Amino acid sequence: MGEKTIIIKGDAGFQMLFNCSTVGILVIDAVGSINLLNPCAETLFGYNNVELSGQPIELLIPENLRSNYFQSSENYVGRHIDNPNSPGNEIYARKKNGEYFPVDISLSHYEMEGEWLAFVFVNDITDQVKTRRFVTEREVWLRNMVDNLPVMVWVTDPERRCTYLNNTWLAFTGNKLDQELGNGWTDSVCPDDLDYCLSVFNSAYERMQSFTMEFRMRHHDGEYRWIKGTGRPTYSSDNVFTGYIGSCTDVHQHKSMTDVLEKLVTIRTNELSVALQNEKEMNDLKTRFVSMASHEFRTPLSIVLSSTLLIEQYAGKWGDEKVARHISKIKSSVSNLTDVLSDFLSLDKLGQNKVELEPAKFNLKELMNQIIEDVQPLRKKGQQIIFDYDGAESIFMDNKKLRYIIANLISNALKYSEENTQVILHSIVRNGTCFFKIQDQGVGIPEEDHIYMFTEFFRAKNASSFQGTGLGLTIVKRYVDLIGGSISFTSKLGEGTCFNVQLPYQEAL
Amino acid sequence: MKTVLVIEDNPDIRENTAEMLELENFNVVTAEDGLQGLELALAHLPDVILCDIMMPKLNGYEVLKQLKENEATVNIPFIFASASVEKKEIKHAMQLGADAYIRKPFDLTELMELVNKFIDR
């Protein structure tokens, strides 16, 4: 023992190396007894030379692992050499205070004067083990995460071979990983889509571009389902191309739904165009009918009217009042019917947007007086029209449409009022706007009917006993809109109705 | 006595119109189609012509065109009477050189006002 110490001491350089080494060094003999340890080993194990000298090496090995780890110092070493980097199989050493710590051990031995001796180099690898564990844990965590992502994940190498597929992928195809790796995955692609799939994949590879595609892939139940796949090139930290990573999502339901919807849209569009065509044909028919009716009704009406006028002429000579009364009825009926025909025609033209404004210069006050003159025959006994006019007289506007609007509103006012009532026609014409107020003391319009008053063919509930088609106000409203004005009314049942019309005009010089 | 030529294919309207005008002391000549109308216009050189548009053989537009081409008839006042209320028809008629347009059915006052407007009595 002492001799060996002297031998080492004999070499001053070696002694220094031994003392200053940051590796723990133990010298043991053939039976595993410790002969010597350097300062670093003393620090590592917490023993000093005196305490350990002659002690068996097992003292430095955890108690519960002694029998498992080795029977002798040679096994201790041999085991380590067999598994130099096996993670999780770290070799542990025991400190004096009973603590364990992972170590890295290497050994060299020699024989001296027939005695077998060994140098055991011991490194504390606590830090490395910690790091390694951390890395391993992270990797497991990451792999778990990728494996359990709700999308299928794939990875390929620079040679376009598949190197990784996550569990979601395998769960979809029902295949084992080794069936799918390399080019195996192409077996799951629907044969009809394979060429397309590969061409997208290959051309993306050639240009190192990202790609997205839709193709069908065989589900483990045998059904081909629509998959939306994306991929993008990957690069290492030093910017070397490492292949592609991508994901695939089952979009079958979505895609099927889209297909169904598209088909539905096509069907509906067709139905709609048929309906539109029918509508157009119906409209054409209506227009032809209205036009024909208007013409064909006017011819017999012409005869009725002219014959009546002739009867009037002859009868007038004989002076029969009863005949005159009936002639007057025929004349006003013909006139009503002619007006209705005109309304039909006007509405049809309005519906086809064929009505245009025809502005002309005229005297508005004169026009109003004319209208009042024209509606005189409609006045009931004791009915009065009170007319006032304030403002510009010579204006530029569509006088025919204006005449229709005002005449219609005054006719209505008279028609829906009793005998001995007043109709007030109030007009203010200035600053580019003519304002008309037509107020009656008539039957009024039921509240619930107000919103329908401008709807074609609509008649208020209390209007059924009055003759009318329900077209007049509709045409009035359309004309007002055409001129760019506005119309509104207030009405109280049994008290009367008041229409307000505002129309823009240009002053005529 | 002033002469009015009435060109109208519908016999009832033709007769009634003629009768009304006669009652108002006009001399009335009637034609039952456009062709006859043209002939009578040239033969009688009336003071005013009242003419339907849609007629067999020769329609109202054609009658007007030919009358306007003839030196003898170019200045005779020409009034269209039609059951049609199509704006474009009225426009067309006026463009061809008609002096007025009356819409059927017309009443006596309307007709007389118009006819008298073109006749210097």
Side-chain angles (χ1 to χ4, degrees):
Chain A
M1 187 78 192
E3 279 171 12
K4 287 147 215 160
T5 311
I6 293 158
I7 291 159
I8 295 161
K9 272 181 180 169
D11 186 333
F14 185 74
Q15 183 64 41
M16 199 173 72
L17 201 65
F18 185 75
N19 285 336
C20 300
S21 172
T22 54
V23 177
I25 303 169
L26 296 149
V27 182
I28 55 173
D29 64 16
V31 294
S33 292
I34 298 162
N35 276 9
L36 191 66
L37 61 160
N38 73 343
C40 181
E42 285 179 327
T43 314
L44 277 180
F45 291 100
Y47 289 103
N48 62 34
N49 252 305
V50 180
E51 286 169 312
L52 279 184
S53 189
Q55 293 294 323
I57 187 77
E58 280 84 352
L59 193 65
L60 303 178
I61 292 163
E63 297 93 329
N64 60 334
L65 297 174
R66 278 172 200 167
S67 57
N68 291 342
Y69 260 48
F70 56 91
Q71 298 300 319
S72 70
S73 59
E74 282 170 88
N75 283 351
Y76 182 96
V77 172
R79 189 185 171 86
H80 177 63
I81 291 165
D82 283 348
N83 298 299
N85 290 312
S86 167
N89 281 331
E90 288 87 16
I91 294 165
Y92 286 85
R94 183 181 181 277
K95 291 187 184 185
K96 185 184 175 183
N97 67 7
E99 273 180 32
Y100 299 166
F101 64 105
V103 290
D104 180 40
I105 288 170
S106 61
L107 178 113
S108 63
H109 62 91
Y110 61 93
E111 280 189 55
M112 197 170 144
E113 295 163 6
E115 193 180 357
W116 188 92
L117 288 172
F119 281 106
V120 181
F121 301 96
V122 182
N123 255 324
D124 181 349
I125 55 164
T126 305
D127 287 346
Q128 288 98 305
V129 166
K130 270 188 187 161
T131 309
R132 199 155 64 215
R133 271 201 196 142
F134 178 73
V135 168
T136 310
E137 277 167 16
R138 290 296 295 180
E139 202 180 306
V140 168
W141 179 83
L142 204 66
R143 188 170 282 258
N144 252 326
M145 193 185 72
V146 177
D147 265 340
N148 294 309
L149 271 179
V151 293
M152 297 178 252
V153 176
W154 54 266
V155 174
T156 53
D157 65 13
E159 279 72 48
R160 309 179 188 187
R161 289 173 305 216
C162 180
T163 55
Y164 171 80
L165 292 167
N166 71 347
N167 278 345
T168 314
W169 180 296
L170 299 175
F172 180 90
T173 60
N175 290 337
K176 294 253 161 41
L177 181 63
D178 52 5
Q179 288 175 274
E180 303 266 15
L181 290 181
N183 291 319
W185 63 273
T186 54
D187 291 345
S188 300
V189 177
C190 175
D192 292 345
D193 299 343
L194 187 57
D195 283 349
Y196 161 74
C197 195
L198 289 177
S199 85
V200 172
F201 183 69
N202 287 326
S203 77
Y205 246 88
E206 276 153 30
R207 296 183 207 140
M208 298 229 182
Q209 282 175 342
S210 303
F211 67 86
T212 301
M213 63 179 167
E214 285 186 9
F215 61 97
R216 281 162 293 177
M217 195 157 77
R218 195 176 48 237
H219 189 249
H220 64 76
D221 65 8
E223 186 195 12
Y224 281 107
R225 295 180 70 84
W226 280 101
I227 300 294
K228 184 174 187 152
T230 60
R232 59 160 61 161
T234 51
Y235 301 91
S236 64
S237 53
D238 46 354
N239 222 18
V240 174
F241 174 61
T242 53
Y244 268 66
I245 186 164
S247 66
C248 288
T249 317
D250 184 339
V251 292
H252 196 72
Q253 213 165 354
H254 175 79
K255 176 100 174 162
S256 314
M257 195 58 86
T258 309
D259 285 351
V260 168
L261 279 176
E262 267 170 20
K263 270 181 201 149
L264 210 62
V265 167
T266 312
I267 292 169
R268 290 278 184 275
T269 308
N270 286 341
E271 284 174 357
L272 206 63
S273 73
V274 168
L276 270 175
Q277 185 61 33
N278 286 343
E279 165 91 11
K280 197 179 168 297
E281 280 167 17
M282 283 304 290
N283 260 327
D284 288 350
L285 200 68
K286 191 180 95 185
T287 301
R288 281 212 305 279
F289 173 77
V290 168
S291 181
M292 180 274 291
S294 166
H295 189 268
E296 294 310 307
F297 286 5
R298 274 165 195 277
T299 303
L301 279 173
S302 260
I303 299 164
V304 172
L305 186 63
S306 53
S307 285
T308 312
L309 292 170
L310 287 166
I311 292 171
E312 192 178 27
Q313 292 288 308
Y314 301 131
K317 290 174 188 165
W318 310 324
D320 188 327
E321 259 182 52
K322 281 179 186 164
V323 172
R325 205 148 51 83
H326 287 294
I327 282 169
S328 161
K329 279 182 190 170
I330 295 173
K331 275 162 75 178
S332 78
S333 292
V334 169
S335 166
N336 275 340
L337 207 49
T338 314
D339 289 346
V340 169
L341 286 177
S342 296
D343 281 357
F344 275 136
L345 208 64
S346 301
L347 201 69
D348 187 55
K349 292 215 180 307
L350 280 164
Q352 298 177 67
N353 290 322
K354 276 187 183 169
V355 178
E356 284 170 10
L357 285 178
E358 294 165 282
K361 181 187 163 179
F362 65 97
N363 187 303
L364 181 55
K365 194 176 178 180
E366 276 173 22
L367 179 76
M368 300 294 280
N369 278 317
Q370 269 173 33
I371 295 170
I372 292 164
E373 198 61 38
D374 290 348
V375 297
Q376 288 304 316
L378 299 176
R379 277 203 302 132
K380 290 175 191 145
K381 200 175 154 196
Q383 275 189 336
Q384 266 188 307
I385 298 174
I386 296 164
F387 170 53
D388 67 71
Y389 190 98
D390 181 17
E393 292 184 17
S394 182
I395 67 164
F396 192 74
M397 199 181 185
D398 188 325
N399 57 336
K400 284 184 185 148
K401 293 184 180 62
L402 178 63
R403 176 191 277 269
Y404 186 93
I405 293 166
I406 302 299
N408 181 278
L409 293 175
I410 299 177
S411 307
N412 280 348
L414 294 168
K415 182 160 78 176
Y416 295 107
S417 300
E418 300 296 319
E419 294 177 350
N420 301 312
T421 52
Q422 278 186 347
V423 172
I424 297 167
L425 172 56
H426 181 63
S427 24
I428 300 171
V429 184
R430 62 167 65 103
N431 301 330
T433 304
C434 22
F435 174 80
F436 304 101
K437 180 169 152 181
I438 297 104
Q439 186 158 24
D440 66 39
Q441 299 169 327
V443 295
I445 302 161
E447 181 89 35
E448 66 267 27
D449 289 343
H450 283 200
I451 53 167
Y452 303 113
M453 287 317 289
F454 298 114
T455 309
E456 57 191 272
F457 300 110
F458 182 82
R459 309 269 342 260
K461 284 176 193 67
N462 57 347
S464 52
S465 56
F466 300 88
Q467 200 201 344
T469 55
L471 289 179
L473 277 182
T474 309
I475 296 171
V476 165
K477 171 84 168 93
R478 302 271 186 96
Y479 281 172
V480 168
D481 289 345
L482 204 63
I483 295 170
S486 65
I487 180 166
S488 62
F489 65 87
T490 53
S491 184
K492 215 160 183 193
L493 212 54
E495 289 184 17
T497 303
C498 178
F499 271 88
N500 290 303
V501 181
Q502 280 188 61
L503 300 169
Y505 73 91
Q506 279 179 297
E507 221 150 312
L509 300 171
Chain B
M1 201 185 270
K2 300 287 179 181
T3 304
V4 179
L5 169 61
V6 175
I7 311 172
E8 167 66 64
D9 63 324
N10 183 302
D12 292 330
I13 295 181
R14 188 171 65 240
E15 272 177 39
N16 281 2
T17 310
E19 215 173 320
M20 286 193 288
L21 287 164
E22 276 162 1
L23 282 172
E24 295 292 319
N25 292 319
F26 285 102
N27 179 34
V28 182
V29 183
T30 60
E32 58 183 56
D33 61 57
L35 217 54
Q36 197 190 7
L38 263 183
E39 287 166 20
L40 292 176
L42 285 165
H44 294 269
L45 295 174
D47 296 287
V48 72
I49 297 170
L50 193 66
C51 182
D52 188 19
I53 294 177
M54 294 209 299
M55 288 183 298
K57 291 184 189 173
L58 203 64
N59 70 29
Y61 298 134
E62 283 302 317
V63 173
L64 176 61
K65 262 191 224 167
Q66 296 199 22
L67 288 175
K68 289 296 168 192
E69 281 163 14
N70 194 317
E71 190 80 19
T73 52
V74 67
N75 289 322
I76 301 174
F78 191 96
I79 302 167
F80 268 127
S82 175
S84 171
V85 286
E86 292 284 334
K87 285 242 167 59
K88 57 173 191 272
E89 262 180 45
I90 299 172
K91 216 172 160 186
H92 184 53
M94 300 310 278
Q95 272 167 356
L96 286 174
D99 296 278
Y101 188 104
I102 189 166
R103 194 178 286 178
K104 293 180 196 168
F106 44 80
D107 70 24
L108 193 59
T109 349
E110 223 180 329
L111 178 66
M112 287 315 149
E113 268 178 18
L114 205 55
V115 172
N116 286 326
K117 194 173 144 191
F118 294 106
I119 291 176
D120 181 26
R121 288 158 70 118

